[in-house]
Amino acid sequence: MKCRCCDSTRLELVLDLGSQPWGNHFVPIGTPGDVPRHPLELFVCRDCSMAQIGHTVPKEVMFVDHQYVSGTTRSLRDHFGHVADEIVARVAFGPTDYALDVGGNDGTFLLQLQQRGANVLNVESGFRQAQLAEQAGVTTVNTFFNRESASEILASRGPAKLIHGSGIFFHLEELHSAFAGISDLLARDGFVVAEFIYLPDMIRLCAFDQIYHEHLTYYSLTSFGNLLRRHGLKIVDARRMAIHGGSCLAWITHADRPGADSDSLRAMLAEEAELKLDQPAIYADFAARAGALRDELVTLVRGLRAEGKRIHALGAPVKGSTILNYCGFDETDLECAVEINRLKVGTWVPGTRIPVWHQDEVAPPDVYLMLSWNFKDEILARLVDFRAKGGKIIIPIPTVSVV
Ligand SMILES: [Zn+2]
């Protein structure tokens, strides 16, 4: 096995989450057989410090026919509005300039930018998402972003003034092809805005549920910078964001563009150097905390079941599949998972026989297990009535707590 970034073979196994299905492998209830399982193991490269999983589920399996749509979460729409504000404040879009979104899903982000006067182009591999984006009025190419598709876009539309990717740059099976494509396509005075799960915060928050087969790489600014350098790009500014439970937003330019790193970037890089993210110690601690959290959650859920309490998983996000499979929960522990995304209703949570039902169509349980803990405030606000009637909610991460 070789490092996805630098080809080194000095990879160290730092966290084993067991054998797990692809976390978005929702199949209709009654589908015979079990969905396939694959190792879910986190490695760190001793040479370039890139954290990564070992096993690759082919991108054609994960990102063509899938159910994730950005527009279902209000917090995410609001967040994209703030990012769009920041972009139009820093980038002057001329009448022929355009912004490209890599894996722009249903167009939720680009709509925000379009409303602020920019021309936009979405490159999205999911056919449903591409269709939804088109219906919303966002021009979309239904394909994978790589050097080949980038060169076709360059030929037809010219260089991109802005390239945005939210929660996408760590999904890339064709890692080097995609960044070569970005480097080719980016205008000389253009910016890349990348939003990604921030490894130091993922570790700090014990957010092991961010690890799933769709996430191939887990970036610090140090390791991301190492990757970008190989493609003539550099990070010039970065800051933390609360969204998704520990994310980072980075501004990237061509490497030969003059200008100093921002203060915020320098401070974050200094912090990373102290954490020693290329050494196994920090990951050993992370793995121990993840294991302890799992044991605590299993004891809590099975204890409540022994008292006769009915428990539903609240939401069926892909990260929830990691938690449920890591804990070994099944339909004896959780009666069902409830969703508002209709595309998942009537399926089994991957790797389990826990059915997914629409939240409005089942009687509320005694206890919810909140899987989208990163949208905690929004979700708790929606559950005022449930809580007023004595309903309890388990929040699993960063520490197991009951509200
Ligand atoms: Zn490496």
mmCIF file of all heavy atoms in Angstrom, residues 2-11 44-50 52 230, ligand 1:
data_model
loop_
_atom_site.group_PDB
_atom_site.id
_atom_site.type_symbol
_atom_site.label_atom_id
_atom_site.label_comp_id
_atom_site.label_asym_id
_atom_site.label_seq_id
_atom_site.Cartn_x
_atom_site.Cartn_y
_atom_site.Cartn_z
ATOM 1 N N LYS A 2 0.457 2.220 -0.818
ATOM 2 C CA LYS A 2 1.242 3.451 -0.964
ATOM 3 C C LYS A 2 0.431 4.673 -0.523
ATOM 4 O O LYS A 2 -0.793 4.683 -0.644
ATOM 5 C CB LYS A 2 1.612 3.641 -2.430
ATOM 6 C CG LYS A 2 2.763 2.781 -2.909
ATOM 7 C CD LYS A 2 3.076 3.184 -4.328
ATOM 8 C CE LYS A 2 4.143 2.303 -4.945
ATOM 9 N NZ LYS A 2 4.213 2.538 -6.381
ATOM 10 N N CYS A 3 1.126 5.695 -0.081
ATOM 11 C CA CYS A 3 0.472 6.944 0.311
ATOM 12 C C CYS A 3 -0.247 7.543 -0.897
ATOM 13 O O CYS A 3 0.304 7.609 -1.992
ATOM 14 C CB CYS A 3 1.505 7.921 0.841
ATOM 15 S SG CYS A 3 0.830 9.570 1.129
ATOM 16 N N ARG A 4 -1.491 8.003 -0.682
ATOM 17 C CA ARG A 4 -2.280 8.579 -1.777
ATOM 18 C C ARG A 4 -1.669 9.881 -2.276
ATOM 19 O O ARG A 4 -1.931 10.305 -3.395
ATOM 20 C CB ARG A 4 -3.715 8.853 -1.307
ATOM 21 C CG ARG A 4 -4.492 7.599 -0.976
ATOM 22 C CD ARG A 4 -5.873 7.926 -0.410
ATOM 23 N NE ARG A 4 -6.532 6.709 0.065
ATOM 24 C CZ ARG A 4 -7.255 5.900 -0.706
ATOM 25 N NH1 ARG A 4 -7.434 6.182 -1.973
ATOM 26 N NH2 ARG A 4 -7.796 4.807 -0.192
ATOM 27 N N CYS A 5 -0.857 10.520 -1.419
ATOM 28 C CA CYS A 5 -0.290 11.813 -1.803
ATOM 29 C C CYS A 5 1.125 11.684 -2.356
ATOM 30 O O CYS A 5 1.418 12.186 -3.433
ATOM 31 C CB CYS A 5 -0.317 12.747 -0.595
ATOM 32 S SG CYS A 5 0.425 14.343 -0.920
ATOM 33 N N CYS A 6 2.024 10.986 -1.612
ATOM 34 C CA CYS A 6 3.444 11.045 -1.987
ATOM 35 C C CYS A 6 4.026 9.706 -2.411
ATOM 36 O O CYS A 6 5.223 9.600 -2.656
ATOM 37 C CB CYS A 6 4.254 11.637 -0.828
ATOM 38 S SG CYS A 6 4.547 10.477 0.518
ATOM 39 N N ASP A 7 3.187 8.648 -2.485
ATOM 40 C CA ASP A 7 3.624 7.315 -2.901
ATOM 41 C C ASP A 7 4.532 6.600 -1.902
ATOM 42 O O ASP A 7 5.033 5.511 -2.194
ATOM 43 C CB ASP A 7 4.343 7.361 -4.274
ATOM 44 C CG ASP A 7 3.364 7.528 -5.423
ATOM 45 O OD1 ASP A 7 2.184 7.170 -5.231
ATOM 46 O OD2 ASP A 7 3.773 8.019 -6.489
ATOM 47 N N SER A 8 4.780 7.186 -0.750
ATOM 48 C CA SER A 8 5.611 6.523 0.253
ATOM 49 C C SER A 8 4.929 5.245 0.731
ATOM 50 O O SER A 8 3.701 5.139 0.746
ATOM 51 C CB SER A 8 5.818 7.466 1.438
ATOM 52 O OG SER A 8 6.321 6.757 2.544
ATOM 53 N N THR A 9 5.738 4.257 1.139
ATOM 54 C CA THR A 9 5.158 3.039 1.721
ATOM 55 C C THR A 9 5.217 3.095 3.254
ATOM 56 O O THR A 9 4.831 2.146 3.922
ATOM 57 C CB THR A 9 5.936 1.793 1.244
ATOM 58 O OG1 THR A 9 7.330 2.005 1.487
ATOM 59 C CG2 THR A 9 5.708 1.548 -0.237
ATOM 60 N N ARG A 10 5.691 4.221 3.803
ATOM 61 C CA ARG A 10 5.795 4.342 5.264
ATOM 62 C C ARG A 10 4.457 4.784 5.857
ATOM 63 O O ARG A 10 4.319 5.892 6.373
ATOM 64 C CB ARG A 10 6.908 5.322 5.626
ATOM 65 C CG ARG A 10 8.297 4.822 5.220
ATOM 66 C CD ARG A 10 9.356 5.841 5.575
ATOM 67 N NE ARG A 10 9.470 6.022 7.016
ATOM 68 C CZ ARG A 10 9.697 7.188 7.610
ATOM 69 N NH1 ARG A 10 9.804 8.282 6.886
ATOM 70 N NH2 ARG A 10 9.806 7.267 8.913
ATOM 71 N N LEU A 11 3.469 3.886 5.749
ATOM 72 C CA LEU A 11 2.143 4.192 6.270
ATOM 73 C C LEU A 11 1.932 3.445 7.569
ATOM 74 O O LEU A 11 2.232 2.260 7.666
ATOM 75 C CB LEU A 11 1.069 3.791 5.264
ATOM 76 C CG LEU A 11 1.020 4.639 3.992
ATOM 77 C CD1 LEU A 11 0.100 3.994 2.972
ATOM 78 C CD2 LEU A 11 0.550 6.046 4.301
ATOM 79 N N VAL A 44 -1.583 6.914 8.701
ATOM 80 C CA VAL A 44 -0.919 8.203 8.525
ATOM 81 C C VAL A 44 0.431 7.957 7.836
ATOM 82 O O VAL A 44 1.096 6.959 8.089
ATOM 83 C CB VAL A 44 -0.771 8.975 9.865
ATOM 84 C CG1 VAL A 44 0.185 8.284 10.808
ATOM 85 C CG2 VAL A 44 -0.328 10.406 9.606
ATOM 86 N N CYS A 45 0.776 8.852 6.914
ATOM 87 C CA CYS A 45 2.033 8.725 6.170
ATOM 88 C C CYS A 45 3.141 9.391 6.982
ATOM 89 O O CYS A 45 3.036 10.555 7.347
ATOM 90 C CB CYS A 45 1.903 9.389 4.801
ATOM 91 S SG CYS A 45 3.477 9.425 3.904
ATOM 92 N N ARG A 46 4.200 8.632 7.248
ATOM 93 C CA ARG A 46 5.301 9.162 8.045
ATOM 94 C C ARG A 46 6.132 10.150 7.236
ATOM 95 O O ARG A 46 6.960 10.872 7.791
ATOM 96 C CB ARG A 46 6.186 8.025 8.567
ATOM 97 C CG ARG A 46 5.472 7.066 9.519
ATOM 98 C CD ARG A 46 4.966 7.743 10.777
ATOM 99 N NE ARG A 46 6.037 8.292 11.592
ATOM 100 C CZ ARG A 46 6.649 7.633 12.579
ATOM 101 N NH1 ARG A 46 6.288 6.429 12.875
ATOM 102 N NH2 ARG A 46 7.611 8.215 13.270
ATOM 103 N N ASP A 47 5.927 10.192 5.925
ATOM 104 C CA ASP A 47 6.729 11.110 5.107
ATOM 105 C C ASP A 47 6.030 12.445 4.844
ATOM 106 O O ASP A 47 6.649 13.487 4.995
ATOM 107 C CB ASP A 47 7.126 10.437 3.791
ATOM 108 C CG ASP A 47 8.232 9.418 4.016
ATOM 109 O OD1 ASP A 47 9.191 9.750 4.754
ATOM 110 O OD2 ASP A 47 8.123 8.290 3.518
ATOM 111 N N CYS A 48 4.747 12.415 4.436
ATOM 112 C CA CYS A 48 4.098 13.691 4.097
ATOM 113 C C CYS A 48 2.993 14.051 5.082
ATOM 114 O O CYS A 48 2.302 15.042 4.894
ATOM 115 C CB CYS A 48 3.568 13.669 2.661
ATOM 116 S SG CYS A 48 2.073 12.700 2.447
ATOM 117 N N SER A 49 2.782 13.226 6.103
ATOM 118 C CA SER A 49 1.808 13.415 7.190
ATOM 119 C C SER A 49 0.346 13.332 6.737
ATOM 120 O O SER A 49 -0.555 13.696 7.484
ATOM 121 C CB SER A 49 2.075 14.708 7.984
ATOM 122 O OG SER A 49 1.497 15.826 7.367
ATOM 123 N N MET A 50 0.095 12.826 5.525
ATOM 124 C CA MET A 50 -1.296 12.702 5.072
ATOM 125 C C MET A 50 -2.003 11.556 5.791
ATOM 126 O O MET A 50 -1.548 10.416 5.753
ATOM 127 C CB MET A 50 -1.326 12.457 3.551
ATOM 128 C CG MET A 50 -2.725 12.443 2.944
ATOM 129 S SD MET A 50 -3.496 14.063 2.978
ATOM 130 C CE MET A 50 -2.657 14.858 1.602
ATOM 131 N N GLN A 52 -5.152 9.061 5.946
ATOM 132 C CA GLN A 52 -5.914 8.491 4.827
ATOM 133 C C GLN A 52 -6.436 7.125 5.189
ATOM 134 O O GLN A 52 -5.905 6.472 6.087
ATOM 135 C CB GLN A 52 -5.005 8.379 3.608
ATOM 136 C CG GLN A 52 -3.719 7.612 3.872
ATOM 137 C CD GLN A 52 -2.638 7.930 2.838
ATOM 138 O OE1 GLN A 52 -2.730 7.456 1.722
ATOM 139 N NE2 GLN A 52 -1.632 8.711 3.215
ATOM 140 N N ARG A 230 2.706 20.039 -5.005
ATOM 141 C CA ARG A 230 3.016 19.159 -6.142
ATOM 142 C C ARG A 230 2.327 19.607 -7.423
ATOM 143 O O ARG A 230 2.666 19.154 -8.501
ATOM 144 C CB ARG A 230 2.542 17.731 -5.831
ATOM 145 C CG ARG A 230 3.340 17.105 -4.737
ATOM 146 C CD ARG A 230 2.705 15.801 -4.265
ATOM 147 N NE ARG A 230 3.685 15.126 -3.436
ATOM 148 C CZ ARG A 230 4.470 14.138 -3.851
ATOM 149 N NH1 ARG A 230 4.352 13.641 -5.058
ATOM 150 N NH2 ARG A 230 5.361 13.623 -3.041
HETATM 151 ZN ZN ZN B 1 2.755 10.548 2.007
#
